[in-house]
Amino acid sequence: TSCVDDIATITINLETPPYAGQLPPVPVDMCMGQVLDLNTQFTNNPVPYTPTWTDITSGTPGVSINSNFSPSSSGNYIFRNTIAATSNCPADFEDLNVIVHDLPTVSFSTLNQICLGENLDLGFTLTGSAPFNITITDGINPAFNVLADINGNDLITGNPISVTPSNTGTVTYTVVSITDNFCSTSISGENSTVNILNPPKAVTSAV
């Protein structure tokens, strides 16, 4: 007698595993007052495209959040996108680091009186990340920009930033806006009024 072959059939289902996508390897910078859509940060999109975000700044498992991040305070944040597991494949995740920067601030002051022809030093007290680009107007001429370091001095020379008024009278210098290394913002209430006088004339007496 002869034997009949015994055949066994195995069915293998090939399934695409969850893929959390690829996010930037370096921190993403943003400013207070901005909204960051986390779903726009992928350099390679997740598969399937069902991003699920968690704030893991304070550790895992973290807090579930939506994709539109609107910070209430500055600092460093870590967000995790997770693509859920399937019946046959484990979940996958990818993390994103975000640095939220405070808006720059400026306090502005000058002397309140000088003589025509003298330089007027512009005093700035700044917070933020240098360099700073400060826009100023005098209400007469076109607005002008100055570049400052963290000490409020000229970015190139390190000396105080100054202007030389061209006419006598009263001039009010006003800071309109400021931009630092990361953020920009408009400014209100920072102005200084200067009275520009004719210099005294020398008096000569006949001998």
Side-chain angles (χ1 to χ4, degrees), residues 133-146:
N133 190 331
I134 305 166
T135 303
I136 303 167
T137 180
D138 62 8
I140 302 171
N141 300 298
F144 61 95
N145 287 23
V146 297

Side-chain angles (χ1 to χ4, degrees), residues 43-97:
T43 55
N44 284 318
N45 284 330
V47 178
Y49 191 80
T50 55
T52 301
W53 291 97
T54 307
D55 183 346
I56 60 168
T57 304
S58 299
T60 56
V63 179
S64 178
I65 60 171
N66 65 44
S67 62
N68 290 320
F69 173 54
S70 179
S72 58
S73 60
S74 59
N76 296 347
Y77 293 82
I78 305 174
F79 302 115
R80 173 167 292 179
N81 169 51
T82 302
I83 301 299
T86 66
S87 57
N88 298 304
C89 301
D92 189 33
F93 65 84
E94 178 83 350
D95 293 345
L96 176 69
N97 289 273

Side-chain angles (χ1 to χ4, degrees), residues 3-159:
C3 298
V4 178
D5 292 341
D6 188 16
I7 299 174
T9 301
I10 299 175
T11 300
I12 300 175
N13 293 320
L14 295 178
E15 182 177 317
T16 301
Y19 172 58
Q22 187 173 8
L23 291 163
V26 296
V28 173
D29 293 296
M30 67 176 298
C31 304
M32 287 295 296
Q34 293 180 332
V35 177
L36 178 66
D37 184 351
L38 301 176
N39 288 343
T40 64
Q41 299 304 304
F42 291 107
T43 55
N44 284 318
N45 284 330
V47 178
Y49 191 80
T50 55
T52 301
W53 291 97
T54 307
D55 183 346
I56 60 168
T57 304
S58 299
T60 56
V63 179
S64 178
I65 60 171
N66 65 44
S67 62
N68 290 320
F69 173 54
S70 179
S72 58
S73 60
S74 59
N76 296 347
Y77 293 82
I78 305 174
F79 302 115
R80 173 167 292 179
N81 169 51
T82 302
I83 301 299
T86 66
S87 57
N88 298 304
C89 301
D92 189 33
F93 65 84
E94 178 83 350
D95 293 345
L96 176 69
N97 289 273
V98 176
I99 301 176
V100 180
H101 300 273
D102 284 315
L103 297 177
T105 66
V106 56
S107 296
F108 175 60
S109 63
T110 68
L111 294 176
N112 58 19
Q113 183 171 287
I114 64 169
C115 288
L116 185 65
E118 293 180 333
N119 291 335
L120 176 68
D121 287 346
L122 308 179
F124 303 104
T125 301
L126 303 163
T127 66
S129 178
F132 299 89
N133 190 331
I134 305 166
T135 303
I136 303 167
T137 180
D138 62 8
I140 302 171
N141 300 298
F144 61 95
N145 287 23
V146 297
L147 297 177
D149 61 21
I150 189 62
N151 298 312
N153 294 322
D154 184 275
L155 182 65
I156 304 301
T157 67
N159 297 324

